[in-house]
Amino acid sequence: MSDGPTPPVEQMATATLNDAVTVPVQKHAFSDRVPIRSILSRPDGGAGIAGQRVRVGGWVKTGREQGKGSFAFLELNDGTCQANLQVIVEASVADLGQLVATGTCVVVDGVLKLPPEGTRQKVELRVEQVVHVGLVDPAKYPLPKTRLTLEFLRDFVHLRPKTNTISAVARIRNALAYATHTFFQKHGFLYVHTPIITTSDCEGAGEMFQVTTLITDSEKREKELIKNPPPSEDDVEAAKILVKEKGEAVTQLKSVKASKEEISASVAELTKAKENLSRLEDRAKLKPGIPQKEGKIDYAQDFFARQAFLTVSGQLQVESFACCLSSVYTFGPTFRAEHSHTSRHLAEFWMVEPEIAFAELKDDMNCAEAYVKFLCQWLLDECLDDMEFMAKNFDKTCIDRLRMVASTPFERITYTEAVELLKKVTDKKFDNEVEWGIDLASEHERYLTEVLFKKPVIVYNYPKDIKAFYMRLNDDSKTVAAMDVLVPKVGELIGGSQREERYENISKRIVEMGLPLEPYEWYLDLRRYGTVKHSGFGLGFERMILFATGMDNIRDVIPFPRYPGRADL
Ligand code: 4AD
Ligand code: MG
């Protein structure tokens, strides 16, 4: 799990609630300062702990000198919450000019005070001592105080968490990760780490990034060959003659019954000549370029002695655990080499994939619905300040949307019903014509969830020809037990299915879809030995964050976005 919970802060906040003055506000468990959140996120906004002496650290959001330079106000933020702590420093305590630049890091000791009546803050900090200053040259700092566009910030992915928006998104993302583990652990699911490097294409869509050392190996070899050219045929021939001569010398000495010492000296020379020959022969074989065999790349010489890829989904591997541990989930990065430049696609994204044994499509839908509702409620309970920030700055409706989803049953319709409904639409002209058998486009999905139903919609029983090989064939032989969860703002949030547990059916499907059987033999074993009905789904984690926050572009809800043409840091 990459993102951890923040319970110590919560505990501190409640520990000081009832007995504010006598119980000192506590320092962070592993750092010599009080997190700003444990001061400001108290229900009293910190007023109840006025009078206490604390050390805080953070970065200046806004700083200004006042009273003709006799003191400075600093809005200090340490990332533990959206709110800033107002800090007041007198000129007698520090060089104010150094402190006020946006981005400056300061650690200060001081006393919490009630601010004058009528001010916004419930508490402020009067500084007694400045312990540390991490300077910023405002002329060079790339993130000045002016409002910066999200596009601009993508050029500074290492600095952008210093902004209110990216830090709010980071806290919401963390909360959703924690909520995910909480939900599945609470329901008895086991967390399984599936591999990043894989040799099977889960979706069979051929959108995988290849993992190979053939290219770097060949480049290394090329450099080595330039530095140290391979031996010529003549060199090898000369080395062969030397071996022959040394061999004859040994035979000769043996035949005249020479002394032991003489013979072993001669054998040693022969051994040296043989070693030299074999080294030359090996080096003579060295060729620039990628190794080939029968006109194709020779993957036997690759790192894994076969072709390997970055995973597009942990599903197939997690199924092998579901088929013995019953309820499992994986949550990790997945990779797709799609050349999509949309605001909903990344080349590297995170997916949450539960897999439930003894479960049919209906159970799968129930699980997906309960999980999404749980995530929404979690954000309302745990992240309201950051959600309010998002509502104020990005999407006025985002909090209402969370409330609606947390409390409204999802609509469930079959693909066939969805197509019928979309065909009847007259108030909108779709770019892609609707017809039974097409893969629903984002415009159709969003129309269903945003316009027709105005709530999440689960579409199920899709035509088999547009879905992956592992989905269970329905009795009509035309559709598979697949389901997609569509939500307003995003469209497809979840894709899942009941898995084809019948050996005959699934092996037939693999062949029908033109996939090679060999890489899936292990997967077929799950059906050969103790097969079980099972179902699962994948939730695109960044899509969930888009849905929750109302952000428009998926590149702004993952810390380090990867998309065609871009992989910074
Ligand atoms: O529908 P998908 O392709 O399903 C699977 O990968 C299944 N193996 C999951 C399973 O059953 N265990 O992807 C699942 C979800 C999508 O609904 C979408 O939210 C997200 O992953 N997703 C992407 N998110 C960001 N960028 C991309 N390129 C994405 N592709 C899929
Ligand atoms: Mg899908």
Short mmCIF file of all heavy atoms in Angstrom, two decimals, residues 202-203 312-315 336 338 340 344-355 467 470 484-485 492-497 499 536-543 554, ligand 1:
data_model
loop_
_atom_site.label_atom_id
_atom_site.label_comp_id
_atom_site.label_asym_id
_atom_site.label_seq_id
_atom_site.Cartn_x
_atom_site.Cartn_y
_atom_site.Cartn_z
N CYS A 202 -3.92 -10.06 -20.17
CA CYS A 202 -5.22 -10.31 -19.54
C CYS A 202 -6.37 -9.91 -20.44
O CYS A 202 -7.32 -10.65 -20.63
CB CYS A 202 -5.30 -9.55 -18.22
SG CYS A 202 -6.91 -9.61 -17.47
N GLU A 203 -6.30 -8.71 -21.00
CA GLU A 203 -7.44 -8.26 -21.79
C GLU A 203 -7.36 -8.74 -23.24
O GLU A 203 -8.29 -8.56 -24.01
CB GLU A 203 -7.55 -6.73 -21.74
CG GLU A 203 -7.86 -6.20 -20.36
CD GLU A 203 -9.11 -6.81 -19.74
OE1 GLU A 203 -10.20 -6.62 -20.30
OE2 GLU A 203 -9.01 -7.49 -18.71
N VAL A 312 -1.47 -5.42 -17.73
CA VAL A 312 -2.60 -4.51 -17.98
C VAL A 312 -3.67 -4.68 -16.91
O VAL A 312 -4.60 -3.87 -16.82
CB VAL A 312 -3.26 -4.73 -19.37
CG1 VAL A 312 -2.28 -4.40 -20.49
CG2 VAL A 312 -3.80 -6.14 -19.53
N SER A 313 -3.55 -5.74 -16.11
CA SER A 313 -4.54 -6.03 -15.07
C SER A 313 -4.02 -7.21 -14.26
O SER A 313 -3.41 -8.12 -14.81
CB SER A 313 -5.87 -6.40 -15.73
OG SER A 313 -6.66 -7.20 -14.88
N GLY A 314 -4.26 -7.17 -12.95
CA GLY A 314 -3.81 -8.28 -12.11
C GLY A 314 -4.84 -9.40 -12.03
O GLY A 314 -4.67 -10.36 -11.26
N GLN A 315 -5.89 -9.28 -12.82
CA GLN A 315 -7.03 -10.19 -12.68
C GLN A 315 -6.68 -11.69 -12.81
O GLN A 315 -7.04 -12.48 -11.95
CB GLN A 315 -8.10 -9.85 -13.72
CG GLN A 315 -9.28 -10.78 -13.69
CD GLN A 315 -10.09 -10.71 -14.98
OE1 GLN A 315 -10.23 -9.62 -15.53
NE2 GLN A 315 -10.60 -11.83 -15.43
N ARG A 336 -1.02 0.48 -19.82
CA ARG A 336 -1.61 0.23 -21.14
C ARG A 336 -0.98 1.14 -22.18
O ARG A 336 -0.95 2.36 -22.02
CB ARG A 336 -3.12 0.42 -21.10
CG ARG A 336 -3.73 -0.64 -20.19
CD ARG A 336 -5.20 -0.80 -20.30
NE ARG A 336 -5.60 -1.77 -19.27
CZ ARG A 336 -6.83 -2.14 -19.02
NH1 ARG A 336 -7.82 -1.65 -19.74
NH2 ARG A 336 -7.09 -3.01 -18.08
N GLU A 338 -1.93 2.32 -24.85
CA GLU A 338 -2.92 2.86 -25.78
C GLU A 338 -2.45 4.25 -26.16
O GLU A 338 -2.02 5.00 -25.30
CB GLU A 338 -4.27 3.07 -25.09
CG GLU A 338 -4.92 1.86 -24.51
CD GLU A 338 -6.11 2.26 -23.61
OE1 GLU A 338 -7.21 2.40 -24.16
OE2 GLU A 338 -5.93 2.41 -22.40
N SER A 340 -4.05 6.85 -26.42
CA SER A 340 -5.19 7.75 -26.21
C SER A 340 -4.71 9.03 -25.55
O SER A 340 -4.00 8.98 -24.56
CB SER A 340 -6.24 7.14 -25.29
OG SER A 340 -6.27 5.78 -25.37
N ARG A 344 -9.37 10.90 -19.85
CA ARG A 344 -9.78 9.77 -19.01
C ARG A 344 -8.80 8.59 -19.08
O ARG A 344 -9.03 7.56 -18.49
CB ARG A 344 -11.14 9.22 -19.46
CG ARG A 344 -12.23 10.23 -19.60
CD ARG A 344 -13.05 10.30 -18.31
NE ARG A 344 -14.07 11.32 -18.41
CZ ARG A 344 -13.85 12.64 -18.25
NH1 ARG A 344 -12.64 13.08 -18.00
NH2 ARG A 344 -14.83 13.50 -18.35
N HIS A 345 -7.72 8.74 -19.86
CA HIS A 345 -6.78 7.62 -20.05
C HIS A 345 -5.36 7.97 -19.64
O HIS A 345 -4.88 9.05 -19.95
CB HIS A 345 -6.76 7.17 -21.52
CG HIS A 345 -8.01 6.48 -21.94
ND1 HIS A 345 -9.09 7.16 -22.43
CD2 HIS A 345 -8.35 5.17 -21.93
CE1 HIS A 345 -10.05 6.29 -22.71
NE2 HIS A 345 -9.64 5.08 -22.41
N LEU A 346 -4.73 7.04 -18.97
CA LEU A 346 -3.31 7.15 -18.64
C LEU A 346 -2.61 5.90 -19.16
O LEU A 346 -3.25 4.86 -19.32
CB LEU A 346 -3.13 7.23 -17.12
CG LEU A 346 -3.53 8.54 -16.44
CD1 LEU A 346 -3.63 8.31 -14.94
CD2 LEU A 346 -2.52 9.64 -16.76
N ALA A 347 -1.31 6.01 -19.36
CA ALA A 347 -0.55 4.82 -19.74
C ALA A 347 -0.20 3.99 -18.50
O ALA A 347 0.01 2.78 -18.59
CB ALA A 347 0.73 5.22 -20.47
N GLU A 348 -0.15 4.66 -17.35
CA GLU A 348 0.08 3.96 -16.06
C GLU A 348 -1.01 4.42 -15.12
O GLU A 348 -1.13 5.62 -14.85
CB GLU A 348 1.46 4.33 -15.52
CG GLU A 348 1.74 3.76 -14.14
CD GLU A 348 3.15 4.13 -13.64
OE1 GLU A 348 4.13 3.87 -14.36
OE2 GLU A 348 3.25 4.67 -12.54
N PHE A 349 -1.85 3.52 -14.67
CA PHE A 349 -2.91 3.90 -13.74
C PHE A 349 -3.07 2.79 -12.70
O PHE A 349 -2.53 1.71 -12.86
CB PHE A 349 -4.23 4.16 -14.49
CG PHE A 349 -4.79 2.95 -15.20
CD1 PHE A 349 -5.83 2.21 -14.64
CD2 PHE A 349 -4.29 2.55 -16.43
CE1 PHE A 349 -6.35 1.09 -15.28
CE2 PHE A 349 -4.80 1.43 -17.09
CZ PHE A 349 -5.83 0.71 -16.51
N TRP A 350 -3.79 3.10 -11.65
CA TRP A 350 -3.95 2.12 -10.56
C TRP A 350 -5.34 1.49 -10.64
O TRP A 350 -6.31 2.17 -10.97
CB TRP A 350 -3.73 2.81 -9.21
CG TRP A 350 -2.27 3.05 -8.95
CD1 TRP A 350 -1.44 3.84 -9.69
CD2 TRP A 350 -1.47 2.48 -7.91
NE1 TRP A 350 -0.17 3.80 -9.17
CE2 TRP A 350 -0.16 2.98 -8.08
CE3 TRP A 350 -1.73 1.60 -6.86
CZ2 TRP A 350 0.89 2.62 -7.23
CZ3 TRP A 350 -0.68 1.26 -6.00
CH2 TRP A 350 0.61 1.76 -6.20
N MET A 351 -5.38 0.22 -10.36
CA MET A 351 -6.66 -0.48 -10.42
C MET A 351 -6.90 -1.28 -9.15
O MET A 351 -5.97 -1.88 -8.62
CB MET A 351 -6.68 -1.41 -11.64
CG MET A 351 -8.03 -1.42 -12.34
SD MET A 351 -8.32 -2.83 -13.38
CE MET A 351 -7.10 -2.71 -14.61
N VAL A 352 -8.14 -1.26 -8.70
CA VAL A 352 -8.55 -2.07 -7.55
C VAL A 352 -9.34 -3.24 -8.12
O VAL A 352 -10.34 -3.03 -8.81
CB VAL A 352 -9.44 -1.28 -6.59
CG1 VAL A 352 -9.87 -2.14 -5.41
CG2 VAL A 352 -8.74 -0.01 -6.11
N GLU A 353 -8.89 -4.46 -7.88
CA GLU A 353 -9.53 -5.61 -8.51
C GLU A 353 -9.88 -6.71 -7.49
O GLU A 353 -9.03 -7.52 -7.14
CB GLU A 353 -8.61 -6.20 -9.59
CG GLU A 353 -8.35 -5.25 -10.72
CD GLU A 353 -7.48 -5.85 -11.81
OE1 GLU A 353 -8.04 -6.49 -12.72
OE2 GLU A 353 -6.26 -5.72 -11.71
N PRO A 354 -11.12 -6.71 -7.02
CA PRO A 354 -11.55 -7.82 -6.18
C PRO A 354 -11.93 -9.02 -7.04
O PRO A 354 -12.30 -8.85 -8.21
CB PRO A 354 -12.78 -7.26 -5.46
CG PRO A 354 -13.29 -6.19 -6.35
CD PRO A 354 -12.14 -5.67 -7.16
N GLU A 355 -11.82 -10.19 -6.46
CA GLU A 355 -12.22 -11.42 -7.15
C GLU A 355 -12.90 -12.30 -6.10
O GLU A 355 -12.31 -12.56 -5.05
CB GLU A 355 -10.97 -12.10 -7.72
CG GLU A 355 -11.26 -13.19 -8.73
CD GLU A 355 -11.86 -12.67 -10.04
OE1 GLU A 355 -11.53 -11.58 -10.50
OE2 GLU A 355 -12.71 -13.41 -10.60
N LYS A 467 -16.22 -8.23 -25.86
CA LYS A 467 -15.67 -8.36 -24.50
C LYS A 467 -14.55 -9.40 -24.46
O LYS A 467 -14.34 -10.16 -25.40
CB LYS A 467 -16.78 -8.74 -23.53
CG LYS A 467 -17.74 -7.58 -23.26
CD LYS A 467 -17.07 -6.48 -22.43
CE LYS A 467 -18.01 -5.34 -22.09
NZ LYS A 467 -17.33 -4.23 -21.42
N TYR A 470 -12.36 -14.10 -21.11
CA TYR A 470 -12.58 -14.81 -19.85
C TYR A 470 -13.99 -14.64 -19.29
O TYR A 470 -14.31 -15.16 -18.24
CB TYR A 470 -11.55 -14.33 -18.80
CG TYR A 470 -11.51 -12.81 -18.64
CD1 TYR A 470 -12.56 -12.14 -18.01
CD2 TYR A 470 -10.44 -12.07 -19.13
CE1 TYR A 470 -12.54 -10.76 -17.88
CE2 TYR A 470 -10.42 -10.68 -19.01
CZ TYR A 470 -11.48 -10.03 -18.38
OH TYR A 470 -11.47 -8.67 -18.26
N ASP A 484 -20.52 -3.17 -16.58
CA ASP A 484 -19.75 -1.94 -16.44
C ASP A 484 -20.54 -1.01 -15.52
O ASP A 484 -21.76 -0.90 -15.67
CB ASP A 484 -19.59 -1.23 -17.80
CG ASP A 484 -18.43 -1.81 -18.61
OD1 ASP A 484 -17.80 -2.80 -18.16
OD2 ASP A 484 -18.17 -1.28 -19.71
N VAL A 485 -19.86 -0.37 -14.60
CA VAL A 485 -20.52 0.64 -13.78
C VAL A 485 -20.22 2.01 -14.38
O VAL A 485 -19.05 2.39 -14.54
CB VAL A 485 -20.04 0.59 -12.31
CG1 VAL A 485 -20.73 1.68 -11.48
CG2 VAL A 485 -20.28 -0.78 -11.70
N GLU A 492 -17.39 5.22 -17.78
CA GLU A 492 -17.03 3.92 -17.20
C GLU A 492 -16.06 4.07 -16.03
O GLU A 492 -14.94 4.54 -16.19
CB GLU A 492 -16.40 3.03 -18.28
CG GLU A 492 -16.02 1.67 -17.72
CD GLU A 492 -15.21 0.81 -18.70
OE1 GLU A 492 -15.26 1.06 -19.92
OE2 GLU A 492 -14.52 -0.10 -18.21
N LEU A 493 -16.52 3.61 -14.86
CA LEU A 493 -15.68 3.64 -13.67
C LEU A 493 -15.15 2.24 -13.36
O LEU A 493 -14.03 2.06 -12.90
CB LEU A 493 -16.50 4.17 -12.48
CG LEU A 493 -15.88 4.08 -11.10
CD1 LEU A 493 -14.68 5.01 -10.99
CD2 LEU A 493 -16.91 4.44 -10.02
N ILE A 494 -16.03 1.26 -13.62
CA ILE A 494 -15.70 -0.13 -13.29
C ILE A 494 -16.03 -1.02 -14.48
O ILE A 494 -17.03 -0.82 -15.16
CB ILE A 494 -16.55 -0.58 -12.07
CG1 ILE A 494 -16.03 0.07 -10.78
CG2 ILE A 494 -16.58 -2.11 -11.94
CD1 ILE A 494 -16.81 -0.30 -9.53
N GLY A 495 -15.16 -2.02 -14.70
CA GLY A 495 -15.47 -3.07 -15.67
C GLY A 495 -15.30 -4.40 -14.97
O GLY A 495 -14.30 -4.60 -14.28
N GLY A 496 -16.26 -5.29 -15.12
CA GLY A 496 -16.13 -6.58 -14.44
C GLY A 496 -16.95 -7.65 -15.11
O GLY A 496 -17.60 -7.40 -16.14
N SER A 497 -16.94 -8.83 -14.52
CA SER A 497 -17.71 -9.92 -15.11
C SER A 497 -17.73 -11.14 -14.19
O SER A 497 -16.93 -11.24 -13.27
CB SER A 497 -17.09 -10.37 -16.44
OG SER A 497 -15.85 -11.00 -16.21
N ARG A 499 -16.66 -14.92 -14.37
CA ARG A 499 -15.63 -15.55 -15.19
C ARG A 499 -16.15 -16.87 -15.75
O ARG A 499 -16.94 -17.57 -15.08
CB ARG A 499 -14.36 -15.81 -14.38
CG ARG A 499 -13.94 -14.67 -13.46
CD ARG A 499 -13.85 -13.33 -14.14
NE ARG A 499 -13.26 -12.32 -13.24
CZ ARG A 499 -13.21 -11.03 -13.52
NH1 ARG A 499 -13.77 -10.54 -14.62
NH2 ARG A 499 -12.64 -10.19 -12.67
N GLY A 536 -15.53 -10.96 -10.62
CA GLY A 536 -14.72 -9.86 -10.10
C GLY A 536 -14.85 -8.64 -10.97
O GLY A 536 -15.56 -8.64 -11.98
N PHE A 537 -14.17 -7.59 -10.55
CA PHE A 537 -14.21 -6.37 -11.35
C PHE A 537 -12.95 -5.55 -11.12
O PHE A 537 -12.17 -5.84 -10.22
CB PHE A 537 -15.47 -5.53 -11.05
CG PHE A 537 -15.58 -5.03 -9.61
CD1 PHE A 537 -14.90 -3.89 -9.19
CD2 PHE A 537 -16.39 -5.71 -8.69
CE1 PHE A 537 -15.03 -3.42 -7.89
CE2 PHE A 537 -16.51 -5.24 -7.37
CZ PHE A 537 -15.83 -4.10 -6.97
N GLY A 538 -12.78 -4.53 -11.95
CA GLY A 538 -11.66 -3.60 -11.78
C GLY A 538 -12.19 -2.18 -11.73
O GLY A 538 -12.95 -1.77 -12.61
N LEU A 539 -11.80 -1.46 -10.67
CA LEU A 539 -12.17 -0.05 -10.58
C LEU A 539 -10.94 0.79 -10.91
O LEU A 539 -9.88 0.60 -10.31
CB LEU A 539 -12.67 0.28 -9.17
CG LEU A 539 -12.86 1.78 -8.86
CD1 LEU A 539 -14.22 2.05 -8.23
CD2 LEU A 539 -11.75 2.35 -7.97
N GLY A 540 -11.08 1.66 -11.90
CA GLY A 540 -9.99 2.57 -12.25
C GLY A 540 -9.87 3.62 -11.16
O GLY A 540 -10.76 4.45 -10.99
N PHE A 541 -8.77 3.54 -10.40
CA PHE A 541 -8.64 4.37 -9.19
C PHE A 541 -8.65 5.86 -9.53
O PHE A 541 -9.29 6.67 -8.85
CB PHE A 541 -7.36 3.97 -8.46
CG PHE A 541 -7.30 4.43 -7.03
CD1 PHE A 541 -8.27 4.05 -6.11
CD2 PHE A 541 -6.28 5.27 -6.60
CE1 PHE A 541 -8.22 4.48 -4.80
CE2 PHE A 541 -6.21 5.70 -5.28
CZ PHE A 541 -7.19 5.31 -4.39
N GLU A 542 -7.96 6.24 -10.60
CA GLU A 542 -7.93 7.66 -10.98
C GLU A 542 -9.30 8.12 -11.46
O GLU A 542 -9.68 9.27 -11.26
CB GLU A 542 -6.89 7.92 -12.07
CG GLU A 542 -5.45 7.87 -11.56
CD GLU A 542 -4.98 6.47 -11.26
OE1 GLU A 542 -5.54 5.53 -11.85
OE2 GLU A 542 -4.05 6.31 -10.44
N ARG A 543 -10.04 7.22 -12.12
CA ARG A 543 -11.39 7.60 -12.56
C ARG A 543 -12.27 7.88 -11.33
O ARG A 543 -13.10 8.78 -11.34
CB ARG A 543 -12.01 6.48 -13.40
CG ARG A 543 -11.22 6.18 -14.66
CD ARG A 543 -12.01 6.46 -15.90
NE ARG A 543 -11.23 6.17 -17.08
CZ ARG A 543 -11.61 5.35 -18.06
NH1 ARG A 543 -12.77 4.72 -17.96
NH2 ARG A 543 -10.85 5.16 -19.10
N ILE A 554 -7.49 13.49 -15.96
CA ILE A 554 -6.92 12.38 -15.19
C ILE A 554 -5.44 12.60 -14.88
O ILE A 554 -4.92 12.07 -13.91
CB ILE A 554 -7.19 11.05 -15.95
CG1 ILE A 554 -7.06 9.84 -15.03
CG2 ILE A 554 -6.28 10.93 -17.16
CD1 ILE A 554 -7.70 8.58 -15.55
O1 4AD B 1 -12.58 -2.49 -18.07
P1 4AD B 1 -11.15 -2.85 -17.82
O2 4AD B 1 -10.25 -2.94 -18.99
O3 4AD B 1 -11.18 -4.21 -17.00
C1 4AD B 1 -10.13 -4.98 -16.67
O4 4AD B 1 -8.98 -4.69 -16.82
C2 4AD B 1 -10.53 -6.22 -15.94
N1 4AD B 1 -9.42 -7.17 -16.05
C3 4AD B 1 -10.88 -5.88 -14.51
C4 4AD B 1 -11.31 -7.08 -13.71
O5 4AD B 1 -12.35 -7.63 -13.99
N2 4AD B 1 -10.55 -7.46 -12.70
O6 4AD B 1 -10.52 -1.80 -16.80
C5 4AD B 1 -11.09 -1.59 -15.55
C6 4AD B 1 -11.20 -0.11 -15.26
C7 4AD B 1 -12.03 0.67 -16.26
O7 4AD B 1 -13.40 0.55 -15.97
C8 4AD B 1 -11.51 2.08 -16.08
O8 4AD B 1 -12.10 2.69 -14.95
C9 4AD B 1 -10.05 1.84 -15.77
O9 4AD B 1 -9.91 0.51 -15.33
N3 4AD B 1 -9.19 2.05 -16.94
C10 4AD B 1 -8.36 3.10 -17.09
N4 4AD B 1 -8.10 4.14 -16.29
C11 4AD B 1 -7.19 5.03 -16.72
N5 4AD B 1 -6.51 4.93 -17.87
C12 4AD B 1 -6.72 3.89 -18.71
N6 4AD B 1 -6.02 3.78 -19.83
C13 4AD B 1 -7.68 2.91 -18.32
N7 4AD B 1 -8.14 1.77 -18.88
C14 4AD B 1 -9.05 1.26 -18.03
#
